[in-house]
């Protein structure tokens, strides 16, 4: 067998001995301790090789727009109002340019799989969707993009939105999202989305319970509908910041509820920390759902970017190790197993949620990313930036470590 490339000294799991990975015709041809071959090689130096990070919740269409949309109140209402006003001027070219900037940052951070939430309503129409569809095709050399179309401005309160969502699903959208808290009829919103998801046979991904008031929530209705429609394993919920305010007993009941209904939980720490708790003038709650508790209870959990440089989150570099570290810090997690769980929430769990295998074995495409550390916990603790990535054996980015120049 003729190898095109050998990656030498690669660690495939925590504590495992380094191995060599032989690549032929874009696929992994062999994995063994010492490949005797004079094919070109890359030295992983004992670093971790994995399939890359997966961002399960990232808004490309409203990224990088701080100069044209200001959040006047700092809270969710202020962010929604700012984007609604600015959206009138969105064009396909404009969304494409801002989305491309974000995707190129994500590629450089070692992200290889993204679910992007795209707003659909009668003002933006399908302009954002068309731009993201083009981005999906144009960046397929580096990453897989899953398109989740959703009614950010509400569904039942906004005539014309349902028809546009249907057009997007017929035009190549991968799944359907929801945002019941912006609808005048949240339960009707949830019911219609489940009906449409069944009709089109697609997964669902809700923005849900995005405040800190525990006197009401939509989670129970989403869980009920998930079970009623037999959609266990096909529904995800994002934010759910109300969960951060639950005492231990109620939290345990919620863990059992999600586990039983097969619902995945996504936390978006940068946005959740920036937006929630604004009603407090001191001792501000953290407002980040304790995903580690759900993860330990067997629920598929992901930590994701959500927004980059917009009124919801005026920060962002698309680094998922940074996001995992932020979550670990907020959730007060420091042990090696706790940090490894945080790593799973930006890698294996979102891969599972998006229905993509992250196995590295003979025969699969050589889609590989190198992390300059020996364990998952270290990657999170030290926010280690991937050094390079490849797709089907072709290099997609390089980010060499800084070189110290001694006197
Ligand atoms: Zn979102």
């Amino acid at each position: 067998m003729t190898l095109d490339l050998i990656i030498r000294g690669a660690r495939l799991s925590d504590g495992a001995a380094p191995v060599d990975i032989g690549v032929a015709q874009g696929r992994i041809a062999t994995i063994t301790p010492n490949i005797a071959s004079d094919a070109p090689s890359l030295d992983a130096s004992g670093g971790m090789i994995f399939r890359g990070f997966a961002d399960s919740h990232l808004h490309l269409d409203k990224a990088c727009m701080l100069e044209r949309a200001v959040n006047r109140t700092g809270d969710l209402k202020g962010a929604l109002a700012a984007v609604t006003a600015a959206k009138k001027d969105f064009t396909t070219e404009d969304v494409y340019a801002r989305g491309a900037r974000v995707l190129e940052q994500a590629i450089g951070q070692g992200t290889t799989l993204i679910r992007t939430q795209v707003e659909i309503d009668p003002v933006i129409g399908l302009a954002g969707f068309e731009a993201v569809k083009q981005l999906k095709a144009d960046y397929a050399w580096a990453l897989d993009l899953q398109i989740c179309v959703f009614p950010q401005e509400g569904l039942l309160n906004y005539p014309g939105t349902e028809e546009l969502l249907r057009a997007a699903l017929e035009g190549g959208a991968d799944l359907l999202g929801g945002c019941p808290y912006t609808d005048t009829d949240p339960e009707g919103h949830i019911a219609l989305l489940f009906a449409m998801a069944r009709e089109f046979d697609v997964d669902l991904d809700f923005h849900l319970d995005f405040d800190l008031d525990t006197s009401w929530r939509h989670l129970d209705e989403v869980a009920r509908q998930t079970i009623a429609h037999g959609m266990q394993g096909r529904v995800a919920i994002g934010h759910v910041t109300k969960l951060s305010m639950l005492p231990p007993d109620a939290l345990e009941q919620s863990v059992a509820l999600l586990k039983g209904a097969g619902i995945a939980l996504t936390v978006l720490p940068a946005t959740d920390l920036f937006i929630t708790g604004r009603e407090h003038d001191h001792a501000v709650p953290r407002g980040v759902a304790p995903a580690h508790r759900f993860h330990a209870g067997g629920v598929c959990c992901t930590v994701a970017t959500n927004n980059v440089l917009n009124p919801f989150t005026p920060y962002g570099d698309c680094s998922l190790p940074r996001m995992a570290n932020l979550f670990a810090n907020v959730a007060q997690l420091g042990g090696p197993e706790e940090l490894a769980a945080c790593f799973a929430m930006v890698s294996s769990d979102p891969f599972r949620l998006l229905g993509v295998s992250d196995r590295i074995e003979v025969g699969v495409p050589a889609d590989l990313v190198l992390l300059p550390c020996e364990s998952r916990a270290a990657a999170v603790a030290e926010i280690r930036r991937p050094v390079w990535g490849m797709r089907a054996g072709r290099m997609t980015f390089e980010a060499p470590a800084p070189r110290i120049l001694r006197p």
Side-chain angles (χ1 to χ4, degrees):
M1 161 184 44
T2 312
L3 296 177
D4 302 319
L5 176 72
I6 300 163
I7 300 156
R8 297 198 182 271
R11 226 176 277 274
L12 293 179
S13 59
D14 291 2
V19 292
D20 291 355
I21 302 170
V23 177
Q25 295 178 338
R27 292 185 176 268
I28 296 177
T30 176
I31 301 175
T32 182
N34 274 301
I35 299 175
S37 161
D38 52 9
S41 66
L42 283 169
D43 185 6
S45 305
M48 275 182 47
I49 288 280
F50 75 132
R51 279 289 307 272
F53 295 107
D55 210 333
S56 72
H57 191 127
L58 175 60
H59 295 264
L60 294 172
D61 57 352
K62 58 183 174 198
C64 306
M65 53 179 290
L66 277 180
E67 69 292 344
R68 49 177 133 161
V70 177
N71 185 343
R72 306 229 171 260
T73 50
D75 59 4
L76 179 60
K77 256 189 176 161
L80 288 167
V83 173
T84 300
K87 196 160 46 173
K88 292 188 195 76
D89 300 323
F90 282 10
T91 62
T92 300
E93 296 71 29
D94 163 48
V95 172
Y96 184 94
R98 289 182 290 105
R101 179 176 154 191
V102 174
L103 284 183
E104 287 180 20
Q105 248 188 328
I107 292 165
Q109 299 282 9
T111 299
T112 56
L113 176 62
I114 294 174
R115 174 178 285 177
T116 185
Q117 276 68 14
V118 180
E119 301 193 11
I120 303 283
D121 61 58
V123 167
I124 181 78
L126 297 178
F129 171 65
E130 293 299 340
V132 169
K133 232 168 60 166
Q134 195 59 47
L135 288 168
K136 176 176 176 164
D138 291 352
Y139 285 91
W141 55 269
L143 49 77
D144 287 316
L145 197 55
Q146 225 177 58
I147 304 177
C148 172
V149 290
F150 83 109
Q152 171 74 80
E153 313 283 342
L155 179 56
L156 298 178
N157 54 306
Y158 206 161
T161 304
E162 181 187 340
E163 290 72 14
L164 286 163
L165 284 171
R166 287 176 175 278
L169 285 166
E170 276 154 14
D174 297 294
L175 72 154
L176 199 48
C179 199
Y181 54 76
T182 58
D183 204 303
T184 48
D185 177 3
E187 299 219 340
H189 182 112
I190 293 166
L192 178 52
L193 288 174
F194 270 97
M196 289 173 68
R198 289 303 304 267
E199 184 187 332
F200 286 90
D201 191 24
V202 293
D203 291 1
L204 282 170
D205 196 330
F206 288 93
H207 291 76
L208 208 71
D209 294 345
F210 189 17
D211 60 62
L212 305 182
D213 179 359
T214 55
S215 67
W216 62 273
R217 67 181 192 183
H218 295 138
L219 173 57
D220 301 282
E221 178 60 13
V222 168
R224 195 184 67 76
Q225 295 258 9
T226 301
I227 293 167
H229 288 281
M231 285 191 65
Q232 295 93 329
R234 301 192 66 179
V235 177
I237 52 175
H239 299 296
V240 211
T241 47
K242 288 176 192 284
L243 295 173
S244 70
M245 302 301 277
L246 294 181
D249 282 1
L251 185 67
E252 238 166 77
Q253 287 170 15
S254 294
V255 172
L257 180 71
L258 263 66
K259 172 83 174 132
I263 294 175
L265 172 66
T266 297
V267 293
L268 307 154
T271 306
D272 297 345
L273 284 163
F274 185 74
I275 290 285
T276 64
R278 296 264 176 174
E279 61 276 24
H280 297 256
D281 63 4
H282 68 288
V284 180
R286 296 172 185 219
V288 176
H292 55 298
R293 301 286 299 276
F294 288 82
H295 197 256
V299 174
C300 178
C301 291
T302 70
V303 171
T305 300
N306 196 32
N307 284 298
V308 176
L309 303 174
N310 77 5
F312 292 85
T313 318
Y315 328 114
D317 59 359
C318 295
S319 163
L320 283 171
R322 184 177 71 81
M323 214 45 68
N325 175 283
L326 177 60
F327 177 77
N329 205 159
V330 169
Q332 304 179 322
L333 306 173
E337 285 178 18
E338 292 174 328
L339 294 177
C342 293
F343 187 91
M345 289 191 257
V346 292
S347 54
S348 49
D349 277 50
F351 265 90
R352 181 151 56 98
L353 174 63
L354 272 60
V356 179
S357 166
D358 67 344
R359 289 180 68 91
I360 293 177
E361 59 195 2
V362 171
V364 304
D367 297 350
L368 304 168
V369 172
L370 172 64
L371 271 170
C373 54
E374 293 184 7
S375 74
R376 286 158 169 73
V380 174
E382 302 170 40
I383 317 182
R384 296 316 291 264
R385 182 179 185 148
V387 181
W388 53 250
M390 64 173 62
R391 190 152 177 103
R394 179 193 169 275
M395 301 300 283
T396 53
F397 76 95
E398 279 179 337
R403 207 155 54 88
I404 302 302
L405 307 174
R406 296 183 192 282

